[in-house]
């Protein structure tokens, strides 16, 4: 072969090898690229899934956090909006933002972003927030610190006329309509029980009753029944003593006595001795101790284990001794009364008008400030008290005063009506509020409807359709009428002619013809007093209803309750003695119902508990809507 042909053949072979190498390189590069792309895609999918997982984890963490918060803290946080920070582990890749809530709305909006290896996933969320009251109080009328009654006391309430008292009871005068008194302490009843004879007394201590008819007496201690008493059933873990007229059935565990002419038409069962001087018939007798008879005894059927002093010839005594006699005597169960939780601060951030003192002002009335929230026609904010250009009465709110420091710079918002020019709040002193409205107009709305919160003590005068809260004590004067928001109804709260452009947005529906579902328990409160804080002791909490006070709605005293004169309450009643938490109880009985007091707990709506519950209330937080950005 010629040299040139061999050279060309060698070049072609080299070129062929080179092309084959390039093809293999391209194939390898394509394979590696495909592998890298698949790995990148898998990594991106994994990072995106991780980001979405973190976003949903953040949504659930936010929901759980809002649900755990007390209602007041939750409302403050969602009203203003906030960025929330999570630290550590999975939480470090989550960003939470709460957007400011619309006025009067129960919807909270938020954004949650999940971060993972450069990937992000953002969720827009809408939560529905609802506050539920604390666990209901144990009875429609529940008083802590004992109870003293005098005068003429009436309780109306089919099935609800029960007084639950944590402490002792001392009752004189007359008691009408009450079905039962359950007390953790001693009960002394020396007044007139209800005429129908249906009253039951149940005590963890001793029971002492005078004359009158009683359905049942239950005591973990001793029972003493005075002359003129007529008792259907007496049941004691201790001893029984009766000098009355009638004791139908009696059980006791310790030595007991019967005197006078008390009759036992059914039976008496005793775990101890019995000393009887009664001349009336005892129908059936069983005792494990000794029987001692005096006078003209009459026993139709008796069995004793410890012997008897009666003569076998006694014509009216049929008693035999049985050393093997046994009895099964049940024990009286204790009355349990859990102290209700009553705190105005639970509703501070739901108040429409929060009245407080400022250090700024030469005259006392010039230091009055009112924080307004969720009121139609008024921007949220802190207002001062003043007069309008057309009205000399100091019943208006404005954000600034004119140069004379008397008149409001427009706009001025009327919040109440009064008789005098000082206005409905003008006679107040620091932390000693006086709310005085115009008199003589019982059908007229005299304050702007809503929830009013007073920082300190408050004295109330006039006719008030509102829910009234005080961080201190509350006192009503003569001829004061209070209707809670619920008792007033939507027409008076949301469409009131006296204040046509002032209604609470957080209570009234958009059409103003109904209430919102939220805050029903708060609306049922007419008057609540007392407040606590983590930084100090409980303060205030005493409610005193003066003569001729009428209250429609729950009356909740964080400490004690006192009524005078002709006081009428239609709604739940509770006192909590919270100023004595961690301290010895007061030496004397703390709560008093006096003169002519009427409490009507009939036909209570389910939400009438008014936040007087065992423990603090809870928050319901539900996710209504979500989407990815």
């Amino acid at each position: 072969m010629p040299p040139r042909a061999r050279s060309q053949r060698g070049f072609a072979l080299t070129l062929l090898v080179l092309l084959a190498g390039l093809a293999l390189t391209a194939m390898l590069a394509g394979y590696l690229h495909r592998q890298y792309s698949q790995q990148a895609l898998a990594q991106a999918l994994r990072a995106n899934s991780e980001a979405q997982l973190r976003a949903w984890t953040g949504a659930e963490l936010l929901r759980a956090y809002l649900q755990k918060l007390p209602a007041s803290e939750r409302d403050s946080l969602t009203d203003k909006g906030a960025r929330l920070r999570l630290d550590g582990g999975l939480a470090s890749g989550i960003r939470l933002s709460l957007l400011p809530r619309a006025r009067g709305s129960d919807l909270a909006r938020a954004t949650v972003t999940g971060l993972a290896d450069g990937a992000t996933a953002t969720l827009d969320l809408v939560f529905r927030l609802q506050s539920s009251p604390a666990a209901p109080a144990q009875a429609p009328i529940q008083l802590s610190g004992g109870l003293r009654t005098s005068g003429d006391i009436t309780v109306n309430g089919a099935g609800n006329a029960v007084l639950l008292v944590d402490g002792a009871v001392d009752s004189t005068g007359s008691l009408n309509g009450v079905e039962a008194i359950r007390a953790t302490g001693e009960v002394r009843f020396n007044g007139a029980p209800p005429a129908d004879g249906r009253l039951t007394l149940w005590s963890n201590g001793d029971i002492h009753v005078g004359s009158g008819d009683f359905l049942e007496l239950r005591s973990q201690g001793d029972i003493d029944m005075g002359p003129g008493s007529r008792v259907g059933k007496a049941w004691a873990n201790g001893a029984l003593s009766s000098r009355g007229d009638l004791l139908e059935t009696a059980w006791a565990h310790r030595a007991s006595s019967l005197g006078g002419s008390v009759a036992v038409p059914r039976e008496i069962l005793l775990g101890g001795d019995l000393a009887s001087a009664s001349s009336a018939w005892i129908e059936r007798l069983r005792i494990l101790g000794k029987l001692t008879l005096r006078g003209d005894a009459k026993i139709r059927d008796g069995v004793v284990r410890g012997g008897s002093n009666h003569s076998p010839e006694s014509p009216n005594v049929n008693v035999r001794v049985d050393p093997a006699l046994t009895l099964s005597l049940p024990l009286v169960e204790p009355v349990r009364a859990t102290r209700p939780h009553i705190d105005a601060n639970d509703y501070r951030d739901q108040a429409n008008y929060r009245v407080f003192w400022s250090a700024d002002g030469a005259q006392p009335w010039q230091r009055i400030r009112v924080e307004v929230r969720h009121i139609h026609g008024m921007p949220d904010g802190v207002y001062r008290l003043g007069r309008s250009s057309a009205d000399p009465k100091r019943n208006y709110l404005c954000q600034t005063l004119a140069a004379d420091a008397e008149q409001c710079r427009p706009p001025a918002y009327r919040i109440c009506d009064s008789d005098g020019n000082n206005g409905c709040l003008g006679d107040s002193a620091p932390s000693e509020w006086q709310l005085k409205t115009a008199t003589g107009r019982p059908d007229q709305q005299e304050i702007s409807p809503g929830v009013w919160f007073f920082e300190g003590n408050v004295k109330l005068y006039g006719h008030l359709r509102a829910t009234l809260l005080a961080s201190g004590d509350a006192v009503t004067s003569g001829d004061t009428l209070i209707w809670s928001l619920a008792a007033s109804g939507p027409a008076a709260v949301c469409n009131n002619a006296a204040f046509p452009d002032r209604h609470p947005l957080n209570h009234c529906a958009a059409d103003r013809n109904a209430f919102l579902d939220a805050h029903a328990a708060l609306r049922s409160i007419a008057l609540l007093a007392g407040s606590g804080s983590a930084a100090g002791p409980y303060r205030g909490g005493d409610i005193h209803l003066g003569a001729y006070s009428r209250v429609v709605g729950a009356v909740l005293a964080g400490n004690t309750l006192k009524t005078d004169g002709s006081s009428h309450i239609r709604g739940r009643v509770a006192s909590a003695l919270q100023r004595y938490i961690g301290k010895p109880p007061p030496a004397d009985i703390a709560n008093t119902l006096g003169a002519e007091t009427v409490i009507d707990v009939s036909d209570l709506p389910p939400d009438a508990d008014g936040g007087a519950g065992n423990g603090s209330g809870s928050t319901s937080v539900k996710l209504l809507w979500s989407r990815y950005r």
Side-chain angles (χ1 to χ4, degrees), residues 142-145 340 342 555-561 573-577 591:
Q142 182 173 349
L143 302 171
S144 298
I342 300 172
V555 175
L556 308 178
N559 199 51
T560 66
L561 173 67
V573 175
S575 68
L577 204 69
N591 303 285

Side-chain angles (χ1 to χ4, degrees), residues 445-501:
Q445 174 71 5
E446 295 170 357
I447 62 172
S448 182
V451 177
W452 287 69
F453 187 107
F454 294 88
E455 297 279 6
N457 305 325
V458 63
K459 292 183 179 180
L460 303 168
Y461 306 79
H463 303 155
L464 313 168
R465 293 185 180 271
T467 286
L468 304 172
L469 315 174
S471 65
D473 301 326
V475 177
T476 65
S477 71
D479 197 27
T480 293
L481 280 70
I482 303 173
W483 295 266
S484 69
L485 293 182
S488 299
V493 175
C494 307
N495 271 306
N496 189 274
F499 298 87
D501 297 321

Side-chain angles (χ1 to χ4, degrees), residues 136-144 146-147 153-156 160 162-166 338-342 524-528 541 543-545 551-563 567-576 591-593 597-602 604 608-613:
Q138 294 171 276
I141 304 173
Q142 182 173 349
L143 302 171
S144 298
L147 172 64
I153 310 300
T154 300
V155 177
N156 300 320
N160 285 330
V162 176
L163 306 182
L164 179 60
V165 180
D166 188 2
T338 303
R339 188 194 309 265
H341 171 85
I342 300 172
S524 72
I525 299 172
L527 183 59
L528 182 152
I543 292 180
H544 183 182
L545 300 183
V551 182
V552 184
V555 175
L556 308 178
N559 199 51
T560 66
L561 173 67
K562 179 180 180 182
T563 65
S567 297
H568 288 223
I569 302 170
R570 190 177 190 279
R572 292 185 183 270
V573 175
S575 68
N591 303 285
T592 60
L593 302 179
T597 296
V598 177
I599 301 176
D600 188 346
V601 288
S602 59
L604 291 177
D609 181 72

Side-chain angles (χ1 to χ4, degrees), residues 192-218:
D196 61 7
R198 306 296 298 173
L199 178 62
T200 293
L201 303 180
W202 192 339
S203 170
N204 292 353
D206 297 338
I207 294 178
H208 307 267
V209 299
S211 62
D213 295 348
F214 299 87
L215 177 65
E216 189 170 325
L217 307 177
R218 295 190 181 196

Side-chain angles (χ1 to χ4, degrees), residues 406-430:
E406 290 275 351
Q407 187 171 307
C408 282
R409 294 186 186 277
Y413 305 94
R414 184 173 60 88
I415 58 165
C416 57
D417 291 329
S418 66
D419 290 327
N421 288 343
N422 278 348
C424 56
L425 293 170
D427 292 334
S428 301

Side-chain angles (χ1 to χ4, degrees), residues 255-331:
S256 302
S257 64
L258 301 176
S261 58
V262 58
V264 183
R266 293 188 179 178
E267 68 176 6
I268 180 167
L269 308 179
L270 299 176
D273 298 338
L274 174 64
S276 175
S278 174
S279 59
W281 278 100
I282 298 175
E283 188 67 23
R284 184 172 184 269
L285 172 70
R286 300 291 186 271
I287 64 173
L288 299 181
K290 180 181 178 181
L291 175 63
T292 302
L293 300 176
R294 297 190 303 272
D296 184 18
K298 299 180 181 68
I299 301 175
R300 202 175 304 279
D301 176 18
V303 181
V304 301
R305 189 173 72 180
S308 171
N309 73 337
H310 78 283
S311 170
E313 289 77 23
S314 299
N316 295 322
V317 178
N318 180 22
V319 174
R320 60 186 176 88
V321 177
D322 182 0
L325 176 67
T326 61
L327 293 175
S328 177
L329 294 174
L331 290 170

Side-chain angles (χ1 to χ4, degrees), residues 124-135:
D124 290 327
L125 307 170
V126 176
F127 296 99
R128 182 181 294 279
L129 311 176
Q130 284 189 308
S131 297
S132 60

